[in-house]
């Protein structure tokens, strides 16, 4: 008997038909003699709707958040009514949904009255999405005679108080999981746990960042020593590129932890960038599979690099970024300028996605998300006010109509000429490369290009990845 952690994404729990698939998948696993921990996202679109409603509340639009609450009530109740016949299970679930939504409206009212919306309150608001969906999914499972109950992840996933992007407190999580979750599984129950959310030690709701349910699944798989983590989504697996950008995208049968880490960090939405961290040390295999096509084996993710010397496995892109360049002749040989710049960026709340330095040391550049780019530019100008005045630094520039494109593949390591091929292709297609960086692991090359060239660059580099798939 094995323990499997299964995470189901927003589309996978987004309709009565999808939830039926979810329950079929879990039931089949239980019937084969395994035990399952289920982790669920909010129904598709709900997290966005909650964020929009919170913003309406803080701007005094009472009608906006009330109608949003009514929509949520209708959507969840309709799902319950479609899947659960009248009786005590239906009544219990409708009343759970109803009291959650009452609590939600009260919170919106408080936001409305106070006119204040902090990251902490935002996390409390978005927590309702997963709290609602988990109740519905657990109830549908009970209808199939699965002993299922919904749990708020805040009981197990303790985090720091970095609201909206909280960090797990591993020791405390292990204690809670051992004390509270393992006994549930040992009793033969199937817990249905909210993805995305956690709680501080004091009990305030936190979240793990957008798309964070994948990370929740991995945290719980690691803390329970699960045999496998399966991320069930709406595509057949991890693909050679975003299928919405190029419909020739193909499913990759195997990807290493390292490769998937790069893919997710550089924009492949299919997995949250932190997903592999918790399972890596314990070497827990992960699969990405399709809830709507459960017979497809999906993508296996594990520790070994791809044995064959493949060229490029996948191509990803990140939009909405800004490229900051700090330059000046007076920078040559002056230690610490880059360090100070990066520290300043961090203090301005920005994550650095990519760094590149010209060998002359006359300039370096780095990429941050658009929403912080202007603040970082201002902060750097303040930090280097003296150097700018002395003209040691003569430019701090921001380009914000750019994107990052990344090619990923462990086979690139030690294979000469891959970078050459990549840049030849870009050159042939008249794509101007603004900055380049190669991951230290040599398993990815990222570069910054103008946004207008995004699709063309991805399509042409994707040709390389498709050649590789044919060889596999
Ligand atoms: P979920 O709600 O199940 O977490 P997401 O929408 O977060 O699903 O992620 C799945 C989506 O990621 C797919 O529908 C696909 O459009 C997109 N995607 C982007 N890049 C890739 C890729 N390289 N492989 C697979 N899917 C990708
Ligand atoms: N519901 C959350 C989001 O939309 C988390 C997730 O789906 O993984 O970001
Ligand atoms: Mg997701």
């Amino acid at each position: 008997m094995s323990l499997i952690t299964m995470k189901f994404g927003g589309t996978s729990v987004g309709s009565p038909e999808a939830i039926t698939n979810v329950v079929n998948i879990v039931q089949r696993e239980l019937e084969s003699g395994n035990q399952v921990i289920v982790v669920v996202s909010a129904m598709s679109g709900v997290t966005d709707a909650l964020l929009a409603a919170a913003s309406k509340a803080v701007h005094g639009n009472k009608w906006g958040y009330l109608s949003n609450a009514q929509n949520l009530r209708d959507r969840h109740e309709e799902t319950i009514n479609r899947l659960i016949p009248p009786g005590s299970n239906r009544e219990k679930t409708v009343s759970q949904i109803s009291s959650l939504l009452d609590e939600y409206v009260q919170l919106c009212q408080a936001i409305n009255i106070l006119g204040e919306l902090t990251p902490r309150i935002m996390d409390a608001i978005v927590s309702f999405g997963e709290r609602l969906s988990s109740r519905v999914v657990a109830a549908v499972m009970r209808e199939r005679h699965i002993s299922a109950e919904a749990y708020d992840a805040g009981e197990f996933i303790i985090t720091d108080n970095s609201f909206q992007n909280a960090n797990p407190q591993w020791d405390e999580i292990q204690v809670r999981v051992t004390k509270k979750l393992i006994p549930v599984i040992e009793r033969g129950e199937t817990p249905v746990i909210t993805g995305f959310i956690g709680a501080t030690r004091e009990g305030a709701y936190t979240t793990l960042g957008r798309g964070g349910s994948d990370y929740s699944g991995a945290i719980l798989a690691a803390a329970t020593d699960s045999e496998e983590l399966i991320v069930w989504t709406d595509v057949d697996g991890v693909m050679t590129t975003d299928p919405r950008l190029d419909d020739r995208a193909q499913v990759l049968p195997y990807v290493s932890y390292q490769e998937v880490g790069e893919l997710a960090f550089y924009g492949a939405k299919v997995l949250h960038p932190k997903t592999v961290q918790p399972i890596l040390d314990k070497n827990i295999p992960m699969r990405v599979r399709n809830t709507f096509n459960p017979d497809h084996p999906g993508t296996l993710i594990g520790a070994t690099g791809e044995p064959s010397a493949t060229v490029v496995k996948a191509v990803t892109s990140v939009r909405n970024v800004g490229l900051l360049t700090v330059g000046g002749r007076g920078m040559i040989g002056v230690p610490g300028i880059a360090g100070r710049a990066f520290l300043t960026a961090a203090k301005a709340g920005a994550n650095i996605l990519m760094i590149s330095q010209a060998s002359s040391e006359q300039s370096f550049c780095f990429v941050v998300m658009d929403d912080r780019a202007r603040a970082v530019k201002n902060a750097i100008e303040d930090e280097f006010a003296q150097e700018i005045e002395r003209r040691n630094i003569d430019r701090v520039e921001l380009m914000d109509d750019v994107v990052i494109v990344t090619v990923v593949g462990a086979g690139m390591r030690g294979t000469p000429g891959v970078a050459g091929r990549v840049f030849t292709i870009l050159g042939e297609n008249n794509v101007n490369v603004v900055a380049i960086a190669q991951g230290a692991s040599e398993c990815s090359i990222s570069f910054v290009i103008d946004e207008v060239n995004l699709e063309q660059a991805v399509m042409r580099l994707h040709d390389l990845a498709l050649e590789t798939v044919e060889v596999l």
Side-chain angles (χ1 to χ4, degrees):
M1 189 167 64
S2 307
L3 176 61
I4 314 283
T5 297
M6 291 188 172
K7 175 264 170 176
F8 293 90
T11 328
S12 302
V13 297
S15 67
E17 294 72 25
I19 294 178
T20 305
N21 289 354
V22 168
V23 180
N24 288 342
I25 289 166
V26 173
Q27 193 164 39
R28 200 187 305 170
E29 195 67 54
L30 294 171
E31 280 168 3
S32 77
N34 289 334
Q35 286 182 303
V36 182
I37 295 172
V38 176
V39 178
V40 288
S41 292
M43 293 179 86
S44 47
V46 167
T47 306
D48 286 336
L50 290 167
L51 288 169
S55 139
K56 285 177 183 150
V58 79
H59 291 109
N61 180 351
K62 192 167 179 178
W63 182 87
Y65 67 77
L66 288 177
S67 79
N68 165 275
Q70 189 56 45
N71 289 342
L72 290 176
R73 205 178 285 271
D74 291 347
R75 185 165 172 199
H76 288 86
E77 278 188 11
E78 267 169 42
T79 310
I80 294 168
N81 294 341
R82 281 272 303 280
L83 295 173
I84 304 173
S88 60
N89 190 23
R90 188 199 272 195
E91 273 167 36
K92 170 180 162 175
T93 316
V94 169
S95 111
Q96 282 176 333
I97 297 298
S98 186
S99 43
L100 279 171
L101 285 165
D102 292 345
E103 203 185 311
Y104 165 67
V105 169
Q106 278 171 13
L107 189 54
C108 286
Q109 250 143 15
I111 296 170
N112 186 13
I113 292 165
L114 296 173
E116 191 177 309
L117 188 55
T118 60
R120 178 186 173 129
I121 301 175
M122 294 275 245
D123 275 355
I125 284 282
V126 287
S127 76
F128 285 97
E130 273 71 11
R131 289 159 74 195
L132 289 164
S133 66
S134 56
R135 269 63 179 181
V136 177
V137 172
V140 181
M141 287 188 181
R142 287 197 294 273
E143 209 48 49
R144 295 272 198 94
H145 307 293
I146 299 171
S147 167
E149 206 58 63
Y151 291 87
D152 282 354
E155 289 194 43
F156 318 116
I157 300 188
I158 303 304
T159 69
D160 64 6
N161 63 0
S162 308
F163 294 100
Q164 299 191 298
N165 196 15
N167 301 296
Q169 306 295 294
W170 301 105
D171 293 346
E172 187 67 25
I173 292 174
Q174 195 58 65
V175 170
R176 301 272 185 126
V177 164
T178 310
K179 216 162 85 187
K180 292 181 157 188
L181 183 56
I182 300 292
V184 170
I185 298 158
E186 281 172 351
R187 285 202 297 272
E189 274 183 33
T190 301
V192 179
I193 305 173
T194 55
F196 186 41
I197 62 184
T200 62
R201 282 200 170 82
E202 295 73 38
Y205 281 104
T206 55
T207 60
L208 304 174
R210 291 306 306 268
S213 298
D214 304 322
Y215 192 26
S216 312
I219 294 169
L220 292 168
T224 56
D225 272 321
S226 292
E227 202 70 30
E228 194 176 338
L229 166 66
I230 309 183
V231 171
W232 290 93
T233 182
D234 56 5
V235 285
D236 283 339
V238 177
M239 304 179 101
T240 47
T241 197
D242 183 345
R244 287 167 302 187
L245 267 182
D246 189 342
D247 58 15
R248 299 173 302 158
Q250 301 218 5
V251 179
L252 290 159
Y254 180 83
V255 184
S256 69
Y257 290 136
Q258 201 177 33
E259 287 170 327
V260 96
E262 302 282 299
L263 271 163
F265 186 76
Y266 286 112
K269 192 191 168 214
V270 64
L271 287 175
H272 185 275
K274 292 183 186 162
T275 312
V276 289
Q277 284 174 13
I279 56 172
L280 200 130
D281 286 342
K282 293 199 166 174
N283 215 343
I284 297 172
M286 168 163 67
R287 267 183 199 282
V288 176
R289 300 186 63 181
N290 191 346
T291 307
F292 304 91
N293 186 17
D295 293 330
H296 194 290
T299 300
L300 174 66
I301 297 158
T304 50
E306 182 63 59
S308 61
T310 53
V311 188
V312 169
K313 251 191 184 173
V315 184
T316 62
S317 58
V318 192
R319 293 169 202 259
N320 304 323
V321 295
L323 176 80
L324 283 136
T325 304
V326 180
R329 280 164 202 277
M331 282 169 50
I332 303 175
V334 180
I337 291 198
R340 274 167 64 201
F342 301 147
L343 201 64
T344 307
K347 281 192 196 145
N351 274 325
I352 296 176
L353 294 172
M354 174 181 152
I355 300 170
S356 170
Q357 180 171 27
S359 57
S360 67
E361 274 192 66
Q362 287 191 22
S363 76
F364 59 87
C365 58
F366 58 97
V367 180
V368 298
M369 292 310 289
D370 250 354
D371 55 353
R372 304 305 308 154
R374 183 109 349 238
V376 172
K377 180 174 189 283
N378 293 339
I380 288 187
E381 280 168 349
D382 285 349
E383 169 70 24
F384 291 109
Q386 272 191 4
E387 286 83 353
I388 292 170
E389 202 182 283
R390 291 185 203 133
R391 300 197 56 79
N392 288 338
I393 288 179
D394 51 33
R395 63 198 168 103
V396 181
E397 266 171 20
L398 170 63
M399 279 174 81
D400 54 9
D401 45 4
V402 291
V403 292
I404 302 179
V405 172
T406 303
V407 291
V408 180
M412 295 185 333
R413 188 180 304 131
T415 309
V418 179
R421 260 189 99 182
V422 166
F423 294 111
T424 306
I425 289 174
L426 294 171
E428 282 166 1
N429 287 279
N430 288 325
V431 176
N432 177 37
V433 177
V434 185
I436 306 168
Q438 178 164 39
S441 60
E442 271 190 62
C443 129
S444 71
I445 304 172
S446 297
F447 44 89
V448 176
I449 58 172
D450 288 339
E451 192 162 13
V452 288
N453 293 326
L454 172 72
E455 273 185 35
Q456 196 191 10
V458 168
M459 298 275 270
R460 294 292 67 85
L461 293 169
H462 189 211
D463 294 342
L464 274 182
L466 291 175
E467 274 174 30
T468 306
V469 169
E470 276 163 28
V471 179
L472 283 176

